[in-house]
Amino acid sequence: MGAQGVTDDFERRREEAKKRIDRLDSRELERQPDRKDFFDQVYEQAGGDAAAVPWADLQAKKQLADWLADHAGAGRTAIDVACGLGDNAEALAAAGYRTTAFDLSRKAIDWARQRFPDSPVDYRVADLLELPRGWIGVFDLVHECYTIQSVAPSMHRAFTEAIASLVAPGGTLLVYTRLRPVGEAVDGPPWPLTEDEAGHFAHLGFELVNETRFAFQRPDRTSPHVFAEWRRA
Ligand SMILES: C[S@@+](CC[C@H](N)C(=O)[O-])C[C@H]1O[C@@H](n2cnc3c(N)ncnc32)[C@H](O)[C@@H]1O
Protein backbone atom coordinates (compact mmCIF):
# COMPACT_ATOMS: atom_id res chain seq x y z
CA MET A 1 0.00 0.00 0.00
CA GLY A 2 1.45 3.41 -0.99
CA ALA A 3 -0.30 6.65 -0.10
CA GLN A 4 -2.67 6.69 2.83
CA GLY A 5 -5.97 5.12 1.91
CA VAL A 6 -4.72 3.43 -1.28
CA THR A 7 -6.12 -0.09 -1.21
CA ASP A 8 -6.89 -2.79 -3.79
CA ASP A 9 -10.39 -1.37 -4.02
CA PHE A 10 -8.91 2.09 -4.66
CA GLU A 11 -6.87 0.62 -7.53
CA ARG A 12 -9.96 -1.08 -8.96
CA ARG A 13 -11.93 2.17 -8.87
CA ARG A 14 -8.99 3.97 -10.50
CA GLU A 15 -8.85 1.49 -13.40
CA GLU A 16 -12.57 1.88 -13.98
CA ALA A 17 -12.26 5.67 -13.95
CA LYS A 18 -9.37 5.58 -16.43
CA LYS A 19 -11.51 3.72 -18.96
CA ARG A 20 -14.31 6.25 -18.56
CA ILE A 21 -11.86 9.16 -18.84
CA ASP A 22 -10.22 7.75 -21.99
CA ARG A 23 -13.62 7.79 -23.69
CA LEU A 24 -14.26 11.36 -22.52
CA ASP A 25 -10.80 12.41 -23.68
CA SER A 26 -11.07 11.07 -27.22
CA ARG A 27 -14.13 13.29 -27.73
CA GLU A 28 -12.61 16.39 -26.12
CA LEU A 29 -9.14 16.32 -27.68
CA GLU A 30 -10.22 17.02 -31.23
CA ARG A 31 -11.91 20.18 -30.02
CA GLN A 32 -9.40 21.45 -27.44
CA PRO A 33 -5.64 20.73 -27.54
CA ASP A 34 -5.29 22.63 -24.25
CA ARG A 35 -8.03 20.39 -22.73
CA LYS A 36 -9.47 23.30 -20.80
CA ASP A 37 -12.83 21.62 -20.15
CA PHE A 38 -11.47 18.12 -19.76
CA PHE A 39 -9.80 18.48 -16.36
CA ASP A 40 -12.77 20.08 -14.69
CA GLN A 41 -14.95 17.25 -15.98
CA VAL A 42 -12.59 14.65 -14.51
CA TYR A 43 -12.66 16.32 -11.08
CA GLU A 44 -16.43 16.80 -11.30
CA GLN A 45 -17.19 13.24 -12.38
CA ALA A 46 -14.95 11.84 -9.64
CA GLY A 47 -17.69 12.80 -7.20
CA GLY A 48 -15.22 13.20 -4.35
CA ASP A 49 -13.43 9.87 -4.96
CA ALA A 50 -9.71 10.57 -5.47
CA ALA A 51 -9.34 7.12 -7.04
CA ALA A 52 -11.14 8.58 -10.06
CA VAL A 53 -8.48 11.28 -10.56
CA PRO A 54 -5.72 9.23 -12.25
CA TRP A 55 -2.81 11.57 -11.39
CA ALA A 56 -3.77 12.05 -7.72
CA ASP A 57 -1.18 10.21 -5.60
CA LEU A 58 -2.51 11.62 -2.30
CA GLN A 59 1.06 12.26 -1.25
CA ALA A 60 3.85 14.56 -2.42
CA LYS A 61 6.17 13.24 -5.09
CA LYS A 62 9.20 11.56 -3.49
CA GLN A 63 11.72 13.60 -5.51
CA LEU A 64 10.12 16.83 -4.30
CA ALA A 65 9.99 15.64 -0.68
CA ASP A 66 13.67 14.63 -0.84
CA TRP A 67 14.67 17.98 -2.37
CA LEU A 68 12.72 19.90 0.26
CA ALA A 69 14.46 18.00 3.05
CA ASP A 70 17.67 19.77 1.94
CA HIS A 71 16.17 23.12 0.91
CA ALA A 72 13.98 24.58 3.66
CA GLY A 73 11.91 27.57 2.66
CA ALA A 74 12.70 29.82 5.63
CA GLY A 75 9.87 32.14 4.62
CA ARG A 76 10.70 32.34 0.92
CA THR A 77 7.85 32.17 -1.58
CA ALA A 78 6.80 29.17 -3.65
CA ILE A 79 4.10 28.41 -6.18
CA ASP A 80 2.80 25.02 -7.22
CA VAL A 81 1.68 25.07 -10.85
CA ALA A 82 -1.61 23.29 -11.61
CA CYS A 83 -1.72 21.85 -8.12
CA GLY A 84 -4.57 19.37 -8.51
CA LEU A 85 -5.58 18.03 -5.10
CA GLY A 86 -2.76 19.86 -3.29
CA ASP A 87 -0.31 17.27 -1.93
CA ASN A 88 2.80 18.83 -3.48
CA ALA A 89 1.70 22.31 -2.41
CA GLU A 90 1.25 21.09 1.16
CA ALA A 91 4.79 19.69 1.13
CA LEU A 92 6.13 23.07 0.01
CA ALA A 93 4.30 24.82 2.83
CA ALA A 94 5.40 22.22 5.40
CA ALA A 95 9.01 22.90 4.35
CA GLY A 96 8.64 26.55 5.28
CA TYR A 97 7.71 28.18 1.96
CA ARG A 98 4.97 30.81 1.82
CA THR A 99 3.05 28.85 -0.75
CA THR A 100 0.56 29.74 -3.44
CA ALA A 101 -1.00 26.92 -5.47
CA PHE A 102 -3.27 27.25 -8.45
CA ASP A 103 -5.24 25.18 -10.88
CA LEU A 104 -7.53 25.94 -13.79
CA SER A 105 -10.20 23.70 -12.29
CA ARG A 106 -12.34 25.31 -9.61
CA LYS A 107 -13.44 21.84 -8.56
CA ALA A 108 -9.81 20.84 -7.92
CA ILE A 109 -9.16 23.96 -5.86
CA ASP A 110 -12.34 23.49 -3.79
CA TRP A 111 -11.34 19.86 -3.22
CA ALA A 112 -7.79 20.78 -2.14
CA ARG A 113 -9.16 23.36 0.31
CA GLN A 114 -11.58 20.78 1.66
CA ARG A 115 -8.81 18.19 2.11
CA PHE A 116 -6.55 20.66 3.94
CA PRO A 117 -8.91 22.99 5.81
CA ASP A 118 -6.22 24.41 8.11
CA SER A 119 -3.64 24.80 5.38
CA PRO A 120 -1.48 27.92 5.10
CA VAL A 121 -1.42 27.40 1.30
CA ASP A 122 -3.14 30.12 -0.70
CA TYR A 123 -5.16 27.99 -3.15
CA ARG A 124 -6.35 29.89 -6.23
CA VAL A 125 -8.24 29.23 -9.43
CA ALA A 126 -6.05 30.56 -12.25
CA ASP A 127 -5.13 29.80 -15.85
CA LEU A 128 -1.45 29.22 -16.56
CA LEU A 129 -1.97 30.87 -19.94
CA GLU A 130 -3.50 34.00 -18.37
CA LEU A 131 -1.48 34.44 -15.21
CA PRO A 132 -2.22 37.31 -12.83
CA ARG A 133 0.29 40.08 -13.57
CA GLY A 134 1.37 40.22 -9.95
CA TRP A 135 2.71 36.66 -10.19
CA ILE A 136 5.16 37.29 -13.01
CA GLY A 137 8.80 36.94 -11.95
CA VAL A 138 8.18 37.00 -8.21
CA PHE A 139 8.41 33.44 -6.83
CA ASP A 140 11.61 32.16 -5.21
CA LEU A 141 10.59 28.57 -5.97
CA VAL A 142 8.29 27.30 -8.73
CA HIS A 143 7.21 23.68 -8.83
CA GLU A 144 5.82 22.02 -11.94
CA CYS A 145 4.66 18.40 -12.01
CA TYR A 146 2.99 16.72 -15.01
CA THR A 147 1.26 19.85 -16.34
CA ILE A 148 3.15 20.40 -19.61
CA GLN A 149 2.80 16.76 -20.63
CA SER A 150 -0.92 16.84 -19.88
CA VAL A 151 -1.68 19.02 -22.92
CA ALA A 152 -1.11 18.34 -26.62
CA PRO A 153 2.45 18.90 -27.94
CA SER A 154 1.30 22.00 -29.83
CA MET A 155 0.73 23.61 -26.40
CA HIS A 156 4.02 22.53 -24.74
CA ARG A 157 6.01 25.63 -25.67
CA ALA A 158 3.35 28.04 -24.36
CA PHE A 159 3.01 26.11 -21.09
CA THR A 160 6.81 25.95 -20.63
CA GLU A 161 7.23 29.69 -21.16
CA ALA A 162 4.34 30.53 -18.82
CA ILE A 163 5.85 28.37 -16.06
CA ALA A 164 9.27 29.99 -16.55
CA SER A 165 7.71 33.44 -16.29
CA LEU A 166 6.76 32.85 -12.64
CA VAL A 167 10.34 32.51 -11.38
CA ALA A 168 12.06 35.46 -9.70
CA PRO A 169 15.59 36.43 -10.80
CA GLY A 170 17.91 34.02 -8.99
CA GLY A 171 14.95 31.79 -8.18
CA THR A 172 14.61 28.01 -8.54
CA LEU A 173 12.38 26.00 -10.83
CA LEU A 174 11.66 22.31 -10.20
CA VAL A 175 10.23 20.28 -13.07
CA TYR A 176 8.97 16.70 -12.73
CA THR A 177 7.98 15.14 -16.03
CA ARG A 178 7.87 12.01 -18.09
CA LEU A 179 10.33 11.88 -20.99
CA ARG A 180 9.85 10.57 -24.49
CA PRO A 181 12.82 8.58 -25.80
CA VAL A 182 14.23 9.89 -29.10
CA GLY A 183 12.31 8.46 -32.03
CA GLU A 184 9.41 7.13 -29.96
CA ALA A 185 6.01 8.04 -31.37
CA VAL A 186 3.83 10.09 -29.08
CA ASP A 187 0.38 8.69 -28.42
CA GLY A 188 -1.06 10.80 -25.64
CA PRO A 189 -2.46 11.70 -23.33
CA PRO A 190 -0.15 12.23 -21.63
CA TRP A 191 2.43 13.49 -24.13
CA PRO A 192 5.84 12.97 -22.43
CA LEU A 193 8.38 15.67 -23.23
CA THR A 194 11.17 15.22 -25.74
CA GLU A 195 14.70 15.97 -24.49
CA ASP A 196 14.52 19.26 -26.39
CA GLU A 197 11.24 20.21 -24.74
CA ALA A 198 12.45 19.27 -21.26
CA GLY A 199 15.64 21.28 -21.88
CA HIS A 200 13.90 24.34 -23.29
CA PHE A 201 14.32 26.23 -20.00
CA ALA A 202 18.00 26.64 -20.96
CA HIS A 203 16.79 28.94 -23.75
CA LEU A 204 14.69 30.97 -21.33
CA GLY A 205 17.51 32.23 -19.10
CA PHE A 206 17.81 29.20 -16.80
CA GLU A 207 20.80 27.04 -15.96
CA LEU A 208 20.50 23.41 -14.99
CA VAL A 209 21.65 22.90 -11.40
CA ASN A 210 20.86 19.22 -11.01
CA GLU A 211 18.68 16.49 -12.42
CA THR A 212 17.62 13.01 -11.41
CA ARG A 213 16.55 10.51 -14.00
CA PHE A 214 14.45 7.52 -13.08
CA ALA A 215 11.84 5.24 -14.58
CA PHE A 216 8.67 3.49 -13.52
CA GLN A 217 8.29 -0.07 -14.74
CA ARG A 218 4.78 -0.82 -15.94
CA PRO A 219 3.60 -4.27 -17.03
CA ASP A 220 3.55 -3.14 -20.67
CA ARG A 221 6.25 -0.42 -20.78
CA THR A 222 8.99 1.56 -19.07
CA SER A 223 8.18 5.15 -18.27
CA PRO A 224 11.29 7.37 -18.11
CA HIS A 225 11.15 10.51 -15.98
CA VAL A 226 13.31 13.45 -15.01
CA PHE A 227 13.22 15.68 -11.94
CA ALA A 228 15.21 18.79 -12.84
CA GLU A 229 16.34 21.73 -10.74
CA TRP A 230 16.89 24.94 -12.72
CA ARG A 231 18.12 28.33 -11.54
CA ARG A 232 17.08 31.56 -13.20
CA ALA A 233 20.08 33.78 -13.90
C1 LIG B 1 -1.98 15.74 -14.82
S1 LIG B 1 -2.66 16.89 -13.71
C2 LIG B 1 -1.34 17.15 -12.56
C3 LIG B 1 -1.80 17.77 -11.26
C4 LIG B 1 -0.71 17.98 -10.22
N1 LIG B 1 0.32 18.89 -10.69
C5 LIG B 1 -0.13 16.67 -9.78
O1 LIG B 1 1.03 16.40 -10.07
O2 LIG B 1 -0.86 15.89 -9.15
C6 LIG B 1 -2.69 18.38 -14.67
C7 LIG B 1 -3.33 19.53 -13.93
O3 LIG B 1 -3.18 20.70 -14.72
C8 LIG B 1 -4.33 21.49 -14.57
N2 LIG B 1 -4.34 22.41 -15.71
C9 LIG B 1 -4.48 22.10 -17.01
N3 LIG B 1 -4.41 23.19 -17.78
C10 LIG B 1 -4.21 24.24 -16.94
C11 LIG B 1 -4.06 25.63 -17.13
N4 LIG B 1 -4.13 26.20 -18.36
N5 LIG B 1 -3.86 26.41 -16.05
C12 LIG B 1 -3.80 25.88 -14.80
N6 LIG B 1 -3.96 24.56 -14.56
C13 LIG B 1 -4.16 23.74 -15.62
C14 LIG B 1 -5.46 20.48 -14.54
O4 LIG B 1 -6.66 20.98 -14.03
C15 LIG B 1 -4.83 19.39 -13.69
O5 LIG B 1 -5.10 19.58 -12.32
Side-chain angles (χ1 to χ4, degrees):
M1 196 160 96
Q4 194 183 7
V6 176
T7 60
D8 287 348
D9 189 51
F10 182 98
E11 293 300 345
R12 184 189 57 73
R13 299 201 307 280
R14 175 149 292 182
E15 286 312 312
E16 281 174 8
K18 278 184 182 168
K19 287 181 200 148
R20 193 179 66 237
I21 289 166
D22 280 350
R23 287 195 295 273
L24 174 73
D25 222 10
S26 57
R27 289 202 304 270
E28 293 292 313
L29 265 176
E30 287 164 27
R31 202 167 56 83
Q32 279 191 328
D34 60 11
R35 299 168 96 203
K36 273 197 176 163
D37 295 338
F38 165 79
F39 292 102
D40 216 34
Q41 288 178 45
V42 171
Y43 289 115
E44 190 65 49
Q45 290 183 7
D49 181 6
V53 179
W55 48 85
D57 284 354
L58 305 183
Q59 60 186 350
K61 286 282 185 283
K62 178 184 182 308
Q63 285 71 13
L64 174 63
D66 289 349
W67 188 89
L68 289 171
D70 294 331
H71 299 83
R76 282 176 293 211
T77 56
I79 189 161
D80 190 31
V81 172
C83 61
L85 299 189
D87 295 275
N88 291 320
E90 292 297 316
L92 292 166
Y97 290 89
R98 286 182 288 129
T99 305
T100 302
F102 73 99
D103 201 285
L104 183 66
S105 166
R106 175 167 296 282
K107 182 73 198 168
I109 291 300
D110 288 347
W111 196 340
R113 287 185 183 137
Q114 197 184 343
R115 289 183 68 214
F116 304 107
D118 302 320
S119 173
V121 175
D122 184 10
Y123 284 106
R124 303 281 196 90
V125 177
D127 184 345
L128 180 60
L129 299 180
E130 290 178 46
L131 290 167
R133 290 173 71 140
W135 287 4
I136 303 301
V138 301
F139 292 96
D140 300 314
L141 177 63
V142 174
H143 176 250
E144 142 63 1
C145 176
Y146 282 166
T147 314
I148 304 170
Q149 68 176 48
S150 77
V151 289
S154 61
M155 302 299 301
H156 284 188
R157 179 68 67 93
F159 270 50
T160 298
E161 290 176 0
I163 290 166
S165 77
L166 292 161
V167 185
T172 296
L173 169 64
L174 302 175
V175 179
Y176 183 111
T177 187
R178 263 179 73 176
L179 285 174
R180 178 152 59 100
V182 177
E184 188 174 293
V186 65
D187 181 24
W191 295 269
L193 274 56
T194 63
E195 292 287 342
D196 283 352
E197 288 176 324
H200 187 62
F201 295 102
H203 302 293
L204 301 173
F206 288 78
E207 64 183 37
L208 186 62
V209 176
N210 202 359
E211 67 171 21
T212 312
R213 290 179 178 241
F214 53 100
F216 294 115
Q217 303 296 335
R218 311 288 186 211
D220 54 338
R221 64 187 154 85
T222 300
S223 172
H225 280 65
V226 64
F227 178 68
E229 175 185 350
W230 296 90
R231 185 183 303 115
R232 186 170 169 196

